[in-house]
Amino acid sequence: MARLRHLRPDLEYRGAKFAGVTPADLLWGDVYVGFRRPPAASSMGNVRWVHCTGAGVDSWLSPVELDRNILLTRTPESFGPAIAEWAVTRIFAFQQGLGELADAQRDGRWAPRDIAQVAGTRALMVGTGDIGRTVASRLAALGVEIIGVSRTGNCDHPAFAAVHPVSALPDLVGEAQWIVLTLPDTPQTRGLFSRAVMQKCRGAVLLNAGRGSAVDEAALPEALDNWWLRGAALDVFQVEPLPDSSPLWRHPRVMVSPHISGLTTIEGATDGFLECLTSLEQGQVPSWVVDRTRGY
Ligand code: GLV
């Protein structure tokens, strides 16, 4: 709000933490700038435009779609660089056995181990949007061969050795050491990484930085215990915060992070909103209108 007040002092603002937005606020404002639908809101009041400050707009499309008379835009901020660092950190942590080394050091145990290089391994990128492409570029620079799957199977980004339509997923997972999900939550992505797909993996590490709904979470312990998966690094979950009762908290080959792989910045959120606002003020359609049929 401070940054917006500075950049556009001619506008009026009200701000609240997400859970504190009231129906009265939504009757007051023309525009709602935020990541998720406020919990207290059964209706968006007089809001005519929602600018989503996150990459994923699922909260605005399901289970109830935002009224079609309300404009829905999303942030242009690029989350790829941060998510790529999140992914690279975890890939090296698994490959170098950082967890086991930390355990051994805590016990004062000298525990030599083989360390295979990340260079020369293969990653399957599931999702080849802005985030998937940035992760792919960083991994390719480390000598990882990159195969992609996407909704269309079309992506000519140079980091990818090949890109296939998503229907090829079950045939490709067995060839990859790393499977990186950077998918939005849509009817097409829900449950995509199913138990049947896990069963076709041959010891890959699964990394999920998209949405928890893409993965059959209940099947993960079995996939890990049978070594279909060597490990999992999960930033997103079907229910967040991850419930205490989830076995994923305690599985020795699961790395949990609390939905922090690609955080919205104040600059990104405010600049993105102002870019869309400027387009509207000039009578143009903003470049960042959500395609509600695609779901992103
Ligand atoms: C975070 O999950 C986002 O969609 O930006």
Side-chain angles (χ1 to χ4, degrees):
M1 285 238 298
R3 192 160 190 276
L4 285 175
R5 281 210 176 95
H6 173 70
L7 293 170
R8 282 296 302 258
D10 56 315
L11 304 178
E12 285 178 54
Y13 302 96
R14 264 194 202 181
K17 290 203 169 157
F18 160 70
V21 176
T22 63
D25 293 330
L26 300 171
L27 288 171
W28 174 86
D30 300 308
V31 190
Y32 178 89
V33 181
F35 179 31
R36 290 179 193 277
R37 202 185 278 263
S42 53
S43 122
M44 286 305 287
N46 288 325
V47 167
R48 289 180 291 154
W49 169 25
V50 169
H51 180 71
C52 177
T53 54
V57 293
D58 40 294
S59 163
W60 300 104
L61 298 182
S62 77
V64 182
E65 184 184 340
L66 181 69
D67 188 329
R68 289 215 164 221
N69 296 320
I70 301 178
L71 175 68
L72 178 60
T73 56
R74 71 169 175 84
T75 187
E77 182 165 14
S78 177
F79 298 98
I83 293 181
E85 294 200 3
W86 173 90
V88 167
T89 302
R90 278 144 187 85
I91 285 174
F92 277 101
F94 273 108
Q95 202 74 337
Q96 297 265 335
L98 291 191
E100 292 89 336
L101 286 173
D103 289 345
Q105 182 170 349
R106 202 172 306 115
D107 303 343
R109 233 177 334 109
W110 185 256
R113 53 179 295 121
D114 287 338
I115 294 181
Q117 290 187 18
V118 165
T121 59
R122 181 180 291 150
L124 179 64
M125 303 298 311
V126 184
T128 61
D130 176 56
I131 297 171
R133 279 184 285 223
T134 311
V135 178
S137 306
R138 304 292 201 267
L139 291 178
L142 293 165
V144 178
E145 187 193 350
I146 311 290
I147 308 293
V149 294
S150 73
R151 189 174 52 88
T152 59
N154 297 324
C155 171
D156 54 9
H157 189 279
F160 292 88
V163 178
H164 303 270
V166 74
S167 54
L169 181 67
D171 302 324
L172 296 169
V173 290
E175 308 293 322
Q177 283 77 53
W178 317 105
I179 300 170
V180 186
L181 310 187
T182 58
L183 295 168
D185 171 70
T186 69
Q188 290 72 36
T189 63
R190 272 171 222 146
L192 188 69
F193 205 76
S194 61
R195 182 181 178 280
V197 171
M198 291 178 199
Q199 214 166 359
K200 298 221 168 198
C201 295
R202 289 207 292 244
V205 172
L206 171 70
L207 294 95
N208 190 7
R211 284 291 182 267
S213 59
V215 175
D216 179 355
E217 229 170 65
L220 275 178
E222 181 190 5
L224 290 156
D225 294 341
N226 288 327
W227 290 88
W228 304 336
L229 292 175
R230 171 159 79 104
L234 307 171
D235 190 50
V236 286
F237 300 88
Q238 283 171 5
V239 176
E240 295 179 7
L242 182 63
D244 289 345
S245 58
S246 171
L248 298 174
W249 279 117
R250 281 162 291 276
H251 199 288
R253 285 180 280 120
V254 174
M255 284 184 207
V256 170
S257 52
H259 204 141
I260 50 167
S261 60
L263 293 176
T264 298
T265 64
I266 289 175
E267 289 76 13
T270 47
D271 289 352
F273 162 62
L274 292 178
E275 181 183 328
C276 293
L277 179 65
T278 305
S279 300
L280 288 167
E281 286 173 331
Q282 292 170 350
Q284 292 158 5
V285 178
S287 310
W288 301 97
V289 175
V290 170
D291 179 336
R292 295 190 186 212
T293 313
R294 277 189 338 188
Y296 55 94

